[in-house]
Amino acid sequence: MTKKTKDKIIFTAESLLESNEYKDISIREVAFLSGISIGTFYRYMNSKEELLEQLKIKFDQKVYNTLLKQTKGKNPIEKILIFFDTYINYITKYNYKFFVFFIPTLLEKQDFISQSKNLCLLKQYIEEAYESDGFNDIYSQDYIFRTLSSFFIGTIFNWCFSMGKSDMKKDFFSNFDTLISKFKN
Amino acid sequence: MTKKTKDKIIFTAESLLESNEYKDISIREVAFLSGISIGTFYRYMNSKEELLEQLKIKFDQKVYNTLLKQTKGKNPIEKILIFFDTYINYITKYNYKFFVFFIPTLLEKQDFISQSKNLCLLKQYIEEAYESDGFNDIYSQDYIFRTLSSFFIGTIFNWCFSMGKSDMKKDFFSNFDTLISKFKN
């Protein structure tokens, strides 16, 4: 029963985030829509912060599972493209204000890049591209990673600045080709 | 006298930020190093938040003044290059943790882009490049602005993630050429 109720809470919070800001979502509302009491909510989550942490974990896990599935049998450059495409698909499902709230929490974690399973996948795809001679070795893997991830995080920023109105996918991919062409052999 | 003491407070805080994190700087320390009492500090600033706000204003003003001076007589594409070069010079003078603290405060201001005098200068340089046929008009000015600013903010992010160790200028300019070449006529 425990896991089921916890999943229900996270699922409810996720659905609410598709059209509401994180700060406007109350524990009362999450509990009510999950069909549980506030007391029960607190048996599963210590605080709203813990709920956010769980949402992040679930978000990362969903992206991770999709990546493993979608990249099967693809070449490394295709895998890199799928990486960003999948991320953008998941990000744009949420209210942009979730990321206004979420991004600063990443900045505070100095070990964020090495701890993120998904970013490790991106690093792995870049390594594969490198080793299969897809990338020119005058550029280091780390430099390619920094370039692509910089442009990606900046595009998310601009999407937030536009209050979720800019076309993040178009903005990213129209320049992605330009950037990655430079690294290709 | 008022302005002089206020300037001294801001100057002290700025010097401290070159090697300390904002959160580790105390009002007591700022007051002591400015040669004033804590009571006097509070006559000029209501809180540490107000000090941060003043630091941001001064930072922007310094960048703005430098930009006006350095871009005189330059062509629009050179002005765009000077814009980023000047910004990076000022950013890297501060402890990276100032930006870990500072960037999230920008995200919360939805009108940040239109309110920033410096970003308006960047928009103006792009417009000049556009009107003097420096840029291909298949790309909109707004799109060029979003592309360059995305990459810039992402590079600052990666600099923060590297704990101020990455070479921000090199990271930015090695890709800046690739990005801007696409837009040039």
Side-chain angles (χ1 to χ4, degrees):
Chain A
M1 262 313 269
T2 306
K3 203 178 167 307
K4 237 179 167 175
T5 307
K6 201 173 173 181
D7 286 349
K8 179 87 189 111
I9 293 170
I10 296 169
F11 179 80
T12 303
E14 262 187 319
S15 311
L16 285 169
L17 274 176
E18 290 180 16
S19 43
N20 298 278
E21 288 182 45
Y22 176 74
K23 73 172 176 54
D24 292 336
I25 297 171
S26 68
I27 287 178
R28 184 178 297 273
E29 194 179 9
V30 174
F32 177 77
L33 292 171
S34 305
I36 58 171
S37 69
I38 294 183
T40 307
F41 176 94
Y42 280 110
R43 257 194 280 146
Y44 295 96
M45 304 275 173
N46 289 315
S47 60
K48 209 177 151 182
E49 283 64 45
E50 194 185 326
L51 177 58
L52 180 73
E53 198 51 48
Q54 295 291 331
L55 282 169
K56 285 196 258 182
I57 292 170
K58 189 167 172 202
F59 179 85
D60 282 345
Q61 192 60 48
K62 282 202 292 188
V63 173
Y64 188 78
N65 293 342
T66 307
L67 284 174
L68 289 190
K69 214 161 58 188
Q70 305 277 357
T71 55
K72 210 170 260 177
K74 304 287 181 183
N75 73 45
I77 304 276
E78 284 167 340
K79 285 181 181 174
I80 295 171
L81 198 139
I82 291 166
F83 176 89
F84 291 110
D85 189 63
T86 302
Y87 244 105
I88 294 174
N89 286 344
Y90 277 110
I91 289 172
T92 48
K93 270 175 70 177
Y94 286 68
N95 187 297
Y96 77 95
K97 292 217 172 171
F98 178 63
F99 293 91
V100 169
F101 188 88
F102 180 51
I103 294 174
T105 67
L106 298 182
L107 264 179
E108 280 157 24
K109 291 189 193 168
Q110 273 153 21
D111 49 1
F112 162 69
I113 289 183
S114 57
Q115 285 206 346
S116 159
K117 277 203 300 188
N118 294 330
L119 287 177
C120 287
L121 277 184
L122 176 60
K123 283 192 171 174
Q124 184 195 308
Y125 303 153
I126 291 172
E127 194 180 336
E128 287 174 24
Y130 216 72
E131 299 198 332
S132 62
D133 289 329
F135 286 142
N136 188 324
D137 60 14
I138 62 163
Y139 300 105
S140 75
Q141 289 180 39
D142 197 45
Y143 175 69
I144 298 174
F145 176 79
R146 282 207 309 280
T147 300
L148 298 179
S149 63
S150 285
F151 190 65
F152 182 53
I153 201 123
T155 309
I156 302 175
F157 243 83
N158 260 320
W159 178 68
C160 289
F161 281 139
S162 79
M163 291 177 260
K165 286 182 202 123
S166 69
D167 186 338
M168 205 198 307
K169 197 173 265 193
K170 200 175 148 198
D171 274 0
F172 184 77
F173 280 106
S174 61
N175 290 301
F176 175 80
D177 286 341
T178 312
L179 288 172
I180 208 156
S181 295
K182 175 174 140 178
F183 304 131
K184 276 187 195 164
N185 247 331
Chain B
M1 262 312 270
T2 306
K3 204 178 167 308
K4 239 178 166 179
T5 308
K6 200 171 173 182
D7 285 350
K8 180 87 188 112
I9 294 169
I10 296 170
F11 179 79
T12 304
E14 262 188 317
S15 311
L16 285 168
L17 274 175
E18 289 180 16
S19 44
N20 298 278
E21 288 182 43
Y22 176 75
K23 73 172 175 55
D24 292 337
I25 297 171
S26 67
I27 286 177
R28 183 178 298 273
E29 196 180 6
V30 174
F32 177 77
L33 292 171
S34 307
I36 57 172
S37 68
I38 294 184
T40 307
F41 176 95
Y42 280 112
R43 258 194 279 147
Y44 294 96
M45 303 275 173
N46 289 314
S47 60
K48 209 176 150 182
E49 283 64 45
E50 194 185 327
L51 177 58
L52 180 73
E53 198 49 50
Q54 295 292 331
L55 283 168
K56 284 196 259 181
I57 292 169
K58 188 164 172 204
F59 179 85
D60 282 343
Q61 192 60 49
K62 282 201 292 189
V63 173
Y64 188 78
N65 293 342
T66 308
L67 284 175
L68 289 191
K69 211 159 61 188
Q70 305 277 357
T71 54
K72 211 170 263 177
K74 303 287 181 186
N75 74 44
I77 303 277
E78 283 167 342
K79 285 181 181 176
I80 295 171
L81 199 140
I82 292 165
F83 176 89
F84 291 111
D85 190 65
T86 303
Y87 244 105
I88 294 173
N89 286 345
Y90 277 110
I91 290 172
T92 48
K93 271 175 70 177
Y94 286 68
N95 188 296
Y96 77 95
K97 291 216 173 171
F98 178 62
F99 293 91
V100 169
F101 187 88
F102 180 51
I103 293 173
T105 67
L106 298 183
L107 263 180
E108 280 157 24
K109 292 189 192 168
Q110 273 154 19
D111 49 2
F112 162 67
I113 289 185
S114 56
Q115 286 206 344
S116 160
K117 277 203 299 189
N118 295 331
L119 286 177
C120 287
L121 277 184
L122 176 60
K123 283 193 172 175
Q124 184 196 309
Y125 302 153
I126 291 173
E127 194 181 336
E128 288 173 23
Y130 215 73
E131 298 199 334
S132 62
D133 288 330
F135 286 143
N136 189 324
D137 60 14
I138 63 162
Y139 300 105
S140 75
Q141 289 180 38
D142 197 47
Y143 175 69
I144 298 173
F145 175 80
R146 284 207 307 280
T147 300
L148 298 179
S149 62
S150 285
F151 190 64
F152 182 55
I153 202 125
T155 309
I156 303 175
F157 242 84
N158 260 319
W159 179 69
C160 289
F161 281 138
S162 80
M163 291 176 263
K165 286 183 201 119
S166 69
D167 186 337
M168 205 200 306
K169 198 175 263 193
K170 200 174 148 199
D171 274 0
F172 184 77
F173 281 106
S174 61
N175 289 302
F176 175 78
D177 287 340
T178 311
L179 287 173
I180 208 156
S181 297
K182 176 174 139 179
F183 302 132
K184 277 186 196 165
N185 246 333

